[in-house]
Amino acid sequence: MNSLTITDRDAAAGPVVEVTGDLDYTHAAALRRQVERLTLRPGQCLVIDLAGLRFCDSSGITALLAARQHALAAGADIALAAVPANTLRILTVIGLDQIFTLHPAASTA
């Protein structure tokens, strides 16, 4: 069985959500719930660290877009960090690399 682990921590610029495993139809709702629980303030940056991501389908992409909406509604920013090559390719093909700020690692976000 494929799994997903989501943890969050506070950083100087705002919360960092670490995603490890498969962000697919079965698990995308968990990411949405985790992000919705975060209290974001204007000027903060929500970082979603995808260093441990193994797989991401369209439901996972939708969950990332929902996280973006949550951040923007709070007046915060969002960045994706350490996006795996296969997921980066998908983001690029559908133009989401123009919507999300991308960083090579969470520490640089």
Side-chain angles (χ1 to χ4, degrees):
M1 179 174 180
N2 297 330
S3 65
L4 181 73
T5 303
I6 304 166
T7 57
D8 61 79
R9 60 182 167 79
D10 291 324
V16 177
V17 176
E18 297 174 355
V19 179
T20 304
D22 296 342
L23 185 56
D24 57 13
Y25 176 78
T26 305
H27 302 103
L31 177 60
R32 290 177 86 138
R33 285 190 302 271
Q34 186 92 6
V35 169
E36 288 170 1
R37 282 188 221 125
L38 296 173
T39 302
L40 296 169
R41 294 185 309 277
Q44 284 189 313
C45 183
L46 168 62
V47 175
I48 301 183
D49 184 353
L50 301 175
L53 187 69
R54 287 189 308 255
F55 174 80
C56 184
D57 69 5
S58 61
S59 298
I61 299 293
T62 302
L64 294 174
L65 288 168
R68 180 179 181 270
Q69 286 304 114
H70 179 70
L72 295 178
D77 211 351
I78 186 168
L80 302 181
V83 181
N86 57 345
T87 303
L88 181 58
R89 183 173 186 276
I90 293 167
L91 294 176
T92 302
V93 167
I94 59 179
L96 293 180
D97 62 325
Q98 301 300 308
I99 292 177
F100 287 103
T101 301
L102 304 174
H103 291 278
S107 61
T108 63

